[in-house]
């Protein structure tokens, strides 16, 4: 059974940092990509970042480039999202997701079958 568990969310002031973790189990990490999405109240869930061990591809949304870093492609079972220079508009529930995808383009929500329960990130101004 595929399981994804996010952690690391919390309340932080603008300009601060958080590191989210996505602990994965039940699948071959070499074959799956892990993507981070976020959803703010009243907004659609959007892709933030993605990492694929299979082909080494990475994706970042324009809104987070230069501030967020995804890592853990070589880790056994955990992918991290380091978030620096946080802004109030980064406030959202962050989800990790997994499936057989490439991260060369923006991942689509419909293309990922497995999801975690989400972790809340709140950035105060």
């Amino acid at each position: 059974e595929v399981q994804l568990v996010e952690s690391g969310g919390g309340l932080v002031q603008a300009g601060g940092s958080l590191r989210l973790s996505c602990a994965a189990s039940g699948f071959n990490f070499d074959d799956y990509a892990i993507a981070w999405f976020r959803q703010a109240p009243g907004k659609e869930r959007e892709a933030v970042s993605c990492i694929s061990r299979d082909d080494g591809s990475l994706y970042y949304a324009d809104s987070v480039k230069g501030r967020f870093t995804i890592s853990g492609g070589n880790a056994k079972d955990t992918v991290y999202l380091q978030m620096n220079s946080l802004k109030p508009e980064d406030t959202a529930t962050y989800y990790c997701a997994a499936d057989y995808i490439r991260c060369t383009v923006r991942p689509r929500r419909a293309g990922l079958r497995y999801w975690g329960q989400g972790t809340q990130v709140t950035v105060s101004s």
Side-chain angles (χ1 to χ4, degrees):
E1 179 186 4
V2 175
Q3 288 191 329
L4 301 168
V5 179
E6 304 96 334
S7 61
L11 173 64
V12 64
Q13 289 187 331
S17 299
L18 284 173
R19 189 178 77 159
L20 305 184
S21 300
C22 175
S25 61
F27 61 90
N28 188 341
F29 221 65
D30 288 336
D31 298 330
Y32 277 61
I34 299 290
W36 284 97
F37 283 70
R38 67 185 180 186
Q39 188 166 19
K43 294 188 177 181
E44 293 188 357
R45 193 170 298 188
E46 63 173 352
V48 173
S49 187
C50 182
I51 185 169
S52 172
R53 290 190 63 185
D54 187 35
D55 65 354
S57 57
L58 293 173
Y59 166 84
Y60 291 101
D62 287 343
S63 59
V64 306
K65 281 181 181 176
R67 300 189 298 124
F68 290 12
T69 303
I70 193 169
S71 64
N74 293 322
K76 184 177 180 180
D77 58 2
T78 302
V79 169
Y80 303 96
L81 185 68
Q82 178 67 42
M83 307 187 296
N84 298 329
S85 302
L86 283 162
K87 305 175 181 179
E89 50 263 45
D90 294 319
T91 295
T93 301
Y94 284 71
Y95 301 88
C96 65
D99 215 320
Y100 294 109
I101 65 168
R102 295 291 182 264
C103 297
T104 49
V105 295
R106 180 175 60 88
R108 297 180 302 109
R109 179 179 180 178
L112 293 125
R113 290 173 290 173
Y114 307 108
W115 291 82
Q117 81 290 348
T119 186
Q120 178 66 36
V121 171
T122 303
V123 184
S124 63
S125 58

